[in-house]
Structure formats: structure tokens, C-alpha cells
Amino acid sequence: EHISIALLANEMHLSESRFKNLFKDLTGFTPGDYIQRKRVEIAIERLSKDPTISLTKLAYDLNFSSSQYFSTVMKKYTGKSPGEIRFPKNNSQ
């Protein structure tokens, strides 16, 4: 489901800018960054439960605009592509 910063701010009866500043002060993350991190956590969990899931389906299920953008975000937060997370290299060889 798409999470709108404007909707969250409205629910808290704050302006968007006040909400963003307060959220960052309280969590250390911007609301957008926090949401991205959570989506990456969910992706990692789903990949570990079902390594056969289509990366495109996973990307769209998590509301990424494309599988390429999903890969970019995954790499940014984990240092690994979705494929590397799905099938980690065995470092013992």
C-alpha cells in the first residue's frame, strides 16, 4: 500500500514540513527513508521465505515503481542486489 507523507502529517494534525522535521528528530530518519528501509526489510524477509518469487512481482507488491528502482534501493540499503540476497554466495569456497 502506498504511504503518503501528506496523509500521515494530516493524521497527526501537522503540516508536512513539521511532520517531517519531528519524525526525523524522533527517529533519526526522514519519513521517506524510514519507509524505504521498512520496504527493504520486508523484501529481505519475503526473499528468505520464498527465493523463487519474481523480483518484478516483489517490487510491485512493495510499491516500487519498477524492478530496476527496487534493485537500486536494495543495493543502497544493503550493499547487495536482490539477486545476491536471494542467492548469497558461499564464502567458504
Side-chain angles (χ1 to χ4, degrees), residues 5-90:
I5 305 302
L7 178 64
L8 293 173
N10 189 49
E11 288 290 318
M12 300 302 298
H13 305 287
L14 298 169
S15 69
E16 274 189 65
S17 62
R18 180 69 182 128
F19 175 78
K20 288 176 183 178
N21 289 333
L22 185 60
F23 191 95
K24 183 160 186 176
D25 288 346
L26 293 172
T27 67
F29 302 107
T30 66
D33 187 44
Y34 182 84
I35 291 166
Q36 291 286 57
R37 289 174 185 276
K38 287 298 178 187
R39 292 184 342 181
V40 166
E41 286 177 19
I42 293 167
I44 291 168
E45 181 180 318
R46 289 191 55 194
L47 283 168
S48 69
K49 287 182 180 177
D50 181 8
T52 64
I53 191 169
S54 157
L55 294 181
T56 299
K57 177 179 176 8
L58 182 57
Y60 289 124
D61 285 353
L62 294 173
N63 207 32
F64 285 96
S65 58
S66 70
S67 57
Q68 293 82 7
Y69 181 57
F70 170 58
S71 292
T72 299
V73 171
M74 183 70 79
K75 187 99 172 175
K76 174 183 175 183
Y77 289 105
T78 67
K80 298 177 181 177
S81 70
E84 291 171 318
I85 289 171
R86 179 196 327 228
F87 302 114
K89 294 179 182 173
N90 187 345

